């Protein structure tokens, strides 16, 4: 989770710099954010009982 936060911060800094291309920081931002969104969705599904915690 800490690496995702660091990735998001570095992606934002990369997008703010005018000298770099914005393609790689944009892809990095999407990939870093998707990991956090994935775990939030899993947590919600576990709490609501839609998926089981253990088989």
């Amino acid at each position: 989770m800490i690496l995702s936060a660091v990735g998001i911060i570095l992606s934002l800094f990369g997008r703010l710099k005018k000298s770099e291309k914005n393609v790689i920081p944009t892809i990095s931002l999407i990939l870093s954010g998707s990991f956090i969104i994935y775990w939030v969705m899993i947590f919600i599904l576990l709490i609501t009982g839609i998926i089981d915690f253990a088989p």
Side-chain angles (χ1 to χ4, degrees):
M1 192 65 113
I2 293 172
L3 290 177
S4 292
V6 170
I8 290 172
I9 291 170
L10 289 175
S11 298
L12 291 175
F13 281 134
R15 288 200 35 87
L16 293 176
K17 290 180 85 173
K18 300 297 181 195
S19 62
E20 279 190 35
K21 291 184 178 181
N22 284 335
V23 176
I24 293 175
T26 302
I27 294 171
S28 173
L29 184 64
I30 292 169
L31 292 176
S32 295
S34 66
F35 183 71
I36 294 172
I37 293 169
Y38 169 77
W39 281 111
V40 168
M41 287 178 11
I42 292 296
F43 185 70
I44 291 170
L45 292 173
L46 282 171
I47 289 176
T48 58
I50 295 174
I51 60 173
D52 294 330
F53 181 71

